[in-house]
Amino acid sequence: MANQKRPKVKIARALGIPLTPKSVKYFEARPYPPGQHGRGRKQNSDYKVRLLEKQRLRAQYDLSETQMARAFDRAKKAEGKTGEALVADLEVRLDSLVLRSGIARTIYQARQMVVHGHIEVNGHKVNKPSFQLKPGFVVTVRERSKEKGPFLVAREGGYAGEGQTPKYLEVNLKALAFRLDRAPQRKEIPVICDEQLVVEYYSR
C-alpha cells in the first residue's frame, strides 16, 4: 500500500472499500474486484478472509507490511483488546490525524504534506508520517506553507466535508491547526475493519 503504484480505484475494488473520495463513484458503479473474473464466484478460505481484512486496514492507513506488523507488536503489549489497541495505535499517527482534521483530503495527501515538511508538532517541524501523537499535542501547518494551494482549500473547509471531525480532535481550520484532546476509542475511528480478523491473521 505504501508507495503503491497500482491505481487507487483498482485497489479499492479489490479490497471492497472506497479509499479516496474520488474512488467512491467508481466503486459504486463497479462494486466487484477488477479484472476479467471480477464478478465470478470465489471460494473464500478462513485465511483469505483474514488476509483481506488485514489488507483493508493497511490500505486505509497506507502502510507497508513492516509498519503494520510493528503496530501489531505494540498492540499486543497494550492493555485491553489487541484489535482495538491496533486501530487506536494507527489512528494517532501524524498523517492519520492530518487527514481526520480536514487539513488533507486523503491519506496520501496527508502523508505528502508531512514528508515535504509542511507540518509542525508542538512548534517543531516533523516529517515522519508515522510520528505518534499523544493527548495534548498541537499540530499546525508551518507559517511558510500556509499560502500554498492545498492549505488555502483546507482553510476554507474544502476537505472537511469528506467526513465528520472525530470527537478526540479539537480543530481550528482557519488557523490550520488541531490538538489531540484524548486517546481515540475504536467506535469513534472511521475505518472499515473487523479488527479481530486482523488479530487472528497475525496470531496464526
Side-chain angles (χ1 to χ4, degrees):
M1 310 308 159
N3 302 316
Q4 174 66 260
K5 303 301 182 184
R6 192 180 178 195
K8 305 293 189 303
V9 172
K10 287 191 176 182
I11 298 173
R13 288 174 58 201
L15 297 175
I17 50 172
L19 295 173
T20 65
K22 184 178 179 181
S23 72
V24 170
K25 63 179 181 179
Y26 294 101
F27 183 79
E28 290 176 346
R30 298 180 178 179
Y32 47 83
Q36 181 180 355
H37 304 292
R39 299 191 197 212
R41 291 185 179 181
K42 295 184 179 179
Q43 293 182 339
N44 286 333
S45 65
D46 288 344
Y47 170 78
K48 187 174 181 181
V49 169
R50 293 173 184 137
L51 173 63
L52 178 63
E53 207 64 27
K54 186 263 295 183
Q55 297 291 67
R56 282 179 170 180
L57 186 58
R58 268 187 61 198
Q60 288 173 87
Y61 287 102
D62 192 31
L63 302 177
S64 68
E65 179 56 40
T66 300
Q67 290 172 317
M68 187 75 170
R70 286 176 182 165
F72 180 75
D73 287 341
R74 291 193 298 269
K76 284 195 300 184
K77 301 171 185 175
E79 295 182 1
K81 296 181 179 179
T82 300
E84 294 182 1
L86 172 61
V87 177
D89 180 277
L90 298 177
E91 184 66 10
V92 295
R93 287 170 52 97
L94 179 56
D95 56 354
S96 301
L97 293 181
V98 168
L99 170 64
R100 302 287 183 239
S101 70
I103 291 176
R105 185 169 185 254
T106 67
I107 190 65
Y108 315 105
Q109 185 183 40
R111 169 166 295 185
Q112 187 178 54
M113 287 175 173
V114 175
V115 169
H116 288 185
H118 297 305
I119 304 296
E120 292 182 344
V121 179
N122 294 341
H124 300 282
K125 184 178 79 170
V126 177
N127 58 11
K128 286 181 60 178
S130 61
F131 182 89
Q132 289 198 301
L133 272 64
K134 296 179 181 179
F137 279 25
V138 175
V139 177
T140 57
V141 174
R142 298 183 73 196
E143 199 63 38
R144 60 187 292 181
S145 302
K146 287 184 176 179
E147 297 306 313
K148 293 184 180 296
F151 299 114
L152 294 176
V153 174
R155 182 185 289 157
E156 297 304 316
Y159 305 140
E162 306 296 353
Q164 188 174 6
T165 303
K167 295 181 179 178
Y168 42 87
L169 292 181
E170 182 70 31
V171 179
N172 183 344
L173 280 181
K174 290 297 182 183
L176 292 173
F178 67 89
R179 181 182 67 230
L180 178 62
D181 280 345
R182 56 174 174 79
Q185 300 177 17
R186 173 62 185 101
K187 62 184 179 181
E188 301 172 311
I189 300 172
V191 297
I192 302 169
C193 175
D194 183 342
E195 59 273 12
Q196 182 55 38
L197 291 177
V198 181
V199 172
E200 291 173 5
Y201 172 86
Y202 282 111
S203 302
R204 69 192 191 286

